[in-house]
Structure formats: C-alpha cells, structure tokens
C-alpha cells in the first residue's frame, strides 16, 4: 500500500511516517500544498492521501478541489485543527473521505487508514479469500489451507497488490510504483525476483501468478 502525506509539521509527519511504515506501507511526504498537487498530478498509484489543510503555498482544500476536479478518486483523510469545524465540513463536501482533528492518537489514525484503503480497493472486509489462500489485510498475514505462509514485507506487499486486482494485469512499473517510495531503487529485475520467491511460496493448487510477456503479471482468477 502506498500513501502520500502532505503535512508541514515535520514532527507530526515523521511520527505518521514511522507508524505507517511500521504497518507495512510505502510512504512519501511533501510539506507544501503545491508539492502535494504536483505529486498527485504525476502519480495515480497512491492508495491514500493524508492531507493537512493548513499547508503553505496552497491550502489543503484547494489541493483536494483540484484532485477531485481531475477525476482522481483516491481516498483522502484530512487532518484539521480541532476547532475548525467549518474546514472539516468544506473538506467533506469537496470529497474527503474522513477526517482526524488534531491532536490525535496514532493507533486511531492507523485504524482509519486501514479502513479507507480497504474501501478504496473495493474490499470492505479485512480478509481477502482466493481459493485456498487467505490474506488478512489488517494483520498482514497470509495463510494457505489455514497454515501461515512465511512472507517477507516485500512479498506481502506484492501479494496484496495482486490480490486487490485479481484477474487483471499489473505491470512491473505499476508494482514498482505501488511498493516503493520516492528515492528507493527497485528495478524491474528485482520485481522479477520477488515474484519468483512469492510464486514458490503460494503457487499451490489453483493459485497461480501468470506472466504476461513484456507486460507484467496477473493473479489468475479461480473458477467457481
Ligand atoms: Ca499545517
């Protein structure tokens, strides 16, 4: 899961990044409204935007307005000052999905982030079932026939992306985008290696990751 944080309070941003990375997300951070706007125009691979409204250079509400005007429906969690009821209402009217008044407890934010990302991916439930394979998005645990599969953080990330798009082609570039933060060097070759390892661990019975030559991968649908 890939998250963009737009927050000019560095201490708060650091805390958010630590928490969300600890939960297995790839997290990028910008500290102004204009940077947030630019990042959201360039990449459509974010699973969630955490948006502070009081941002320098472009107000958070303007960032949100422009985002939705481009037809981008990425889930947005806005961060507001505790007393700014008006901003909160405006934000929700402009298409924010949820809000957190500051100050907030990080575990609560983490829970809301999980719920928003699940909803955004079209999975209201925390468990994704795929034949004998089950993936718990909340606990980040995969089981095969009820037995836990030992997967690295990268492999879990890959599996999550593929499961969220079962039956659809996911390109290597998309995988790199979904899994890696800015400045992280992960080549397409590395993706091949991760896929190879993941296959060895989960390809049992009807579970199969198909290679679409030159294009990418697809977790094949299971009939019935
Ligand atoms: Ca601020």
């Amino acid at each position: 899961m890939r998250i963009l944080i737009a927050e000019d309070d560095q201490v708060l941003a650091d805390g958010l990044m630590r928490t969300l990375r600890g939960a297995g997300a790839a997290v990028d951070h910008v500290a102004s409204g204009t940077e947030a706007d630019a990042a959201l125009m360039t990449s459509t691979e974010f699973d969630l935007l955490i948006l502070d409204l009081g941002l320098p250079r472009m107000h958070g509400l303007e960032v949100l307005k422009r985002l939705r005007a481009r037809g981008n429906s990425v889930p947005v969690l806005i961060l507001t000052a505790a007393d700014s009821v008006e901003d909160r209402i405006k934000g929700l009217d402009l298409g924010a999905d949820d809000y957190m008044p500051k100050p907030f407890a990080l575990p609560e934010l983490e829970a809301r982030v999980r719920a928003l990302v699940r909803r955004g991916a079209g999975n209201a439930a925390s468990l994704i079932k795929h034949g004998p394979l089950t993936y718990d998005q909340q606990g980040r645990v995969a089981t095969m026939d009820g037995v836990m599969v030992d997967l690295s953080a990268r492999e879990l990330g890959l599996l999550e992306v593929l499961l969220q798009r079962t039956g659809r082609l996911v390109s290597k570039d998309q995988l790199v985008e979904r899994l890696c933060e800015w400045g992280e060097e992960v080549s397409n070759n590395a993706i091949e290696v991760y896929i190879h390892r993941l296959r060895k661990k989960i390809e049992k019975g009807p579970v199969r990751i198909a290679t679409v030559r030159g294009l990418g991968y697809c977790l094949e649908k299971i009939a019935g």
Side-chain angles (χ1 to χ4, degrees):
M1 122 172 99
R2 190 146 174 219
I3 298 174
L4 179 65
I5 297 174
E7 169 60 71
D8 60 321
D9 177 337
Q10 190 62 46
V11 175
L12 178 56
D14 285 344
L16 286 171
M17 283 192 277
R18 248 195 324 274
T19 301
L20 296 170
R21 281 179 182 150
V27 188
D28 294 304
H29 170 232
V30 290
S32 75
T34 43
E35 283 173 285
D37 189 51
L40 292 160
M41 270 197 275
T42 343
S43 177
T44 51
E45 292 298 331
F46 290 110
D47 298 288
L48 176 72
L49 166 65
I50 297 178
L51 179 65
D52 174 34
L53 292 187
L55 286 174
R57 292 202 285 284
M58 187 188 287
H59 195 271
L61 286 174
E62 183 60 26
V63 175
L64 179 60
K65 202 162 130 187
R66 292 169 53 100
L67 177 76
R68 293 303 189 225
R70 289 193 297 273
N72 188 327
S73 60
V74 60
V76 177
L77 172 66
I78 52 178
L79 306 179
T80 67
D83 53 356
S84 63
V85 179
E86 211 172 293
D87 270 359
R88 210 176 296 166
I89 295 169
K90 269 191 215 152
L92 292 171
D93 281 348
L94 283 174
D97 299 270
D98 201 356
Y99 68 87
M100 291 285 286
K102 291 180 189 177
F104 48 79
L106 286 171
E108 189 189 349
L109 177 120
E110 219 189 308
R112 288 192 191 217
V113 163
R114 279 198 301 265
L116 284 171
V117 170
R118 275 206 305 275
R119 251 186 279 156
N123 304 300
S126 168
L127 276 187
I128 305 181
K129 280 187 181 297
H130 183 73
L133 180 69
T134 302
Y135 177 64
D136 175 354
Q137 299 188 89
Q138 188 165 333
R140 290 182 61 79
V141 174
T143 58
M144 180 66 79
D145 291 320
V147 180
M148 201 172 118
V149 189
D150 184 22
L151 298 172
S152 70
R154 275 276 193 254
E155 289 158 2
L156 275 173
L158 264 184
L159 179 63
E160 191 172 70
V161 176
L162 291 170
L163 276 171
Q164 285 167 350
R165 299 167 178 214
T166 304
R168 282 183 281 166
L169 171 76
V170 187
S171 72
K172 280 186 203 167
D173 287 345
Q174 270 175 318
L175 286 171
V176 170
E177 273 229 42
R178 300 286 289 205
L179 298 175
C180 306
E181 302 172 0
W182 297 330
E184 228 184 315
E185 294 285 330
V186 173
S187 63
N188 281 5
N189 286 348
I191 293 286
E192 279 174 26
V193 173
Y194 296 135
I195 287 278
H196 175 73
R197 289 192 197 142
L198 182 61
R199 271 186 175 139
K200 282 217 257 186
K201 294 179 183 177
I202 66 153
E203 281 198 337
K204 289 196 180 103
V207 179
R208 219 182 139 246
I209 301 170
T211 302
V212 186
R213 280 261 167 259
L215 294 175
Y217 303 96
C218 169
L219 183 67
E220 289 183 347
K221 274 196 176 161
I222 294 177

